[in-house]
Amino acid sequence: MEKEFQHHLSRMPENSAIKQQKLPAHRLHFSNQAVFTIFFATGAFCFCIGIILLLSAWKVQEIEINYTNICEDCAKMRENALNFDKQCTCSIPFNLQKTMKGDVYMYYKLYGFYQNLYRYVLSRSHNQLMGKDLMDVEDCAPFKVTSNKIPIAPCGAIANSMFNDTIILSYTHSTSEHIQVPVLKTGLTWWTDKYVKFQNPSFRNLSDHFIGTEKPPYWQEPIYELDTSDPGNNGFLNDDFIVWMRTAAFPTFKKLYRRLYRVKYFSDGLPAGNYTFDISYNFPVTKFQGEKSVILSTLSWNGGSSLFLGLAYTVTGVSLWMSSFALMAIQGKIKKKKLTHRR
């Protein structure tokens, strides 16, 4: 009996304040006034932030041109896969009524293109994209190998469907001279994508490292010829390729295509006047009832022209204020009931 009692004692927790749960505790108890103050203060904060974000978004200048129907002849030609090697261009003149000051960015925008499909997102080879093993195509179905069983590089559905329209912006000067607007094709990606997730097998003789592989079926040129003039923007390190490989969450999305190079006539931005988009139409969209646009936009301190964040803060602030008034009304009714019961 004594042994059983000692064994029972040995299993008991130590006689300390923590293990015996004797530490002092404090239970928060908010008064009605404190709750109303918190709701009002938080609501005011959210409302003010929302208004600031909305004003900032409204200051962003943006022009969007949907060229799906404008380039209708090219769109029809691209519906036939046999015309993949034929060139088709169209010109879209437009007038910029107000100068776009500061940094200007060019985007392409796709409607109805689902980059968020599960099998599509998984169809890529991280080992290949990091330059570790170009023959690793195991996860790239259905674009792993060619009909001759040659590995595809870059493999996968994402790479195969890369946006490949060429967009050139020209400015008509007062002397009726057409000037090609200088743009930068680097500095478009996230830092982690450019320097961590994507790497070339080598910076020297890049094409030699891709011997034994084939370009994706829908590509017009191999990966090592995306930008032969700049080794830092060629191969898997090509900015256009990296931007496309970061898949979008929604079927309507835009991706950064170029940045304005602010020199000469364009040192302050894009001056008001007549412009032309010369587009080499390669990317088909009408087959899946999609559309595509080109966008010119400035940016504010909090990003582009999206109103979502500002509206979210504003609605949250208004909701908190309405909740505060509702709570005050409920509290007033409860007080009245207590008074009537006392009488």
Side-chain angles (χ1 to χ4, degrees):
M1 193 74 180
E2 186 178 349
K3 287 182 179 180
E4 288 181 7
F5 180 70
Q6 287 178 353
H7 177 68
H8 176 71
L9 288 176
S10 66
R11 295 175 61 187
M12 292 180 64
E14 294 178 11
N15 189 23
S16 61
I18 294 177
K19 292 190 176 182
Q20 294 296 333
Q21 298 185 7
K22 293 180 179 179
L23 289 173
H26 179 70
R27 181 181 177 184
L28 291 175
H29 181 75
F30 291 107
S31 63
N32 296 332
Q33 181 122 15
V35 172
F36 296 149
T37 303
I38 291 170
F39 267 68
F40 270 112
T42 308
F45 173 79
C46 291
F47 185 79
C48 292
I49 294 295
I51 295 299
I52 292 169
L53 291 173
L54 287 174
L55 292 174
S56 176
W58 284 329
K59 287 182 181 179
V60 172
Q61 293 176 263
E62 183 176 293
I63 179 171
E64 177 179 351
I65 297 176
N66 188 316
Y67 62 94
T68 310
N69 296 324
I70 297 175
C71 303
E72 187 176 3
D73 293 338
C74 291
K76 287 181 179 178
M77 191 191 80
R78 287 291 172 234
E79 286 184 1
N80 188 348
L82 297 175
N83 296 325
F84 76 96
D85 58 343
K86 295 179 180 179
Q87 292 294 323
C88 189
T89 59
C90 68
S91 297
I92 307 170
F94 66 97
N95 179 262
L96 189 64
Q97 296 182 352
K98 190 176 179 182
T99 299
M100 300 182 81
K101 294 183 179 180
D103 294 327
V104 181
Y105 301 86
M106 186 189 299
Y107 301 84
Y108 59 86
K109 187 173 183 178
L110 296 179
Y111 295 84
F113 191 96
Y114 290 82
Q115 269 199 321
N116 56 356
L117 292 175
Y118 182 69
R119 291 183 64 188
Y120 181 90
V121 171
L122 295 181
S123 184
R124 62 194 293 164
S125 171
H126 294 288
N127 283 334
Q128 192 184 71
L129 296 173
M130 293 179 69
K132 293 179 179 179
D133 185 4
L134 297 182
M135 302 301 168
D136 182 7
V137 296
E138 190 61 32
D139 298 327
C140 292
F143 299 100
K144 299 198 295 186
V145 295
T146 64
S147 57
N148 298 324
K149 304 301 179 183
I150 300 173
I152 296 173
C155 66
I158 308 174
N160 185 61
S161 60
M162 178 180 167
F163 182 84
N164 58 348
D165 282 4
T166 302
I167 305 170
I168 297 173
L169 179 62
S170 300
Y171 171 59
T172 304
H173 196 249
S174 55
T175 57
S176 297
E177 177 189 4
H178 289 277
I179 304 169
Q180 185 172 323
V181 177
V183 291
L184 299 171
K185 51 187 176 181
T186 56
L188 313 176
T189 65
W190 291 20
W191 188 93
T192 51
D193 287 347
K194 184 81 171 182
Y195 298 102
V196 179
K197 294 183 180 180
F198 293 82
Q199 291 296 319
N200 280 327
S202 173
F203 282 100
R204 294 182 179 179
N205 303 321
L206 185 60
S207 59
D208 293 344
H209 291 271
F210 285 90
I211 294 174
T213 65
E214 280 287 342
K215 65 180 178 65
Y218 293 169
W219 282 33
Q220 297 173 338
E221 53 197 14
I223 186 75
Y224 51 83
E225 291 182 5
L226 291 182
D227 190 356
T228 53
S229 62
D230 183 4
N233 191 44
N234 200 15
F236 293 140
L237 292 176
N238 180 263
D239 277 34
D240 290 333
F241 174 68
I242 295 173
V243 168
W244 178 258
M245 292 298 289
R246 177 169 282 278
T247 53
F250 300 101
T252 298
F253 59 87
K254 67 178 183 181
K255 291 179 181 281
L256 185 58
Y257 182 71
R258 293 292 181 264
R259 297 183 297 130
L260 176 67
Y261 185 35
R262 295 171 62 181
V263 292
K264 295 184 179 179
Y265 299 110
F266 312 99
S267 57
D268 296 326
L270 280 180
N274 295 317
Y275 290 83
T276 303
F277 278 122
D278 295 307
I279 299 172
S280 179
Y281 197 109
N282 299 309
F283 192 83
V285 292
T286 52
K287 253 191 166 183
F288 56 87
Q289 287 79 48
E291 296 181 5
K292 54 184 177 179
S293 300
V294 58
I295 297 173
L296 293 173
S297 177
T298 59
L299 292 180
S300 65
W301 60 272
N302 68 314
S305 60
S306 175
L307 302 176
F308 174 77
L309 195 60
L311 288 173
Y313 269 98
T314 306
V315 170
T316 302
V318 172
S319 300
L320 286 170
W321 278 352
M322 291 176 68
S323 300
S324 300
F325 288 123
L327 290 172
M328 288 176 69
I330 293 168
Q331 178 64 18
K333 285 185 178 180
I334 292 171
K335 278 187 176 180
K336 282 183 180 179
K337 283 184 179 180
K338 286 182 177 180
L339 289 171
T340 53
H341 282 307
R342 285 176 185 175
R343 289 175 185 175

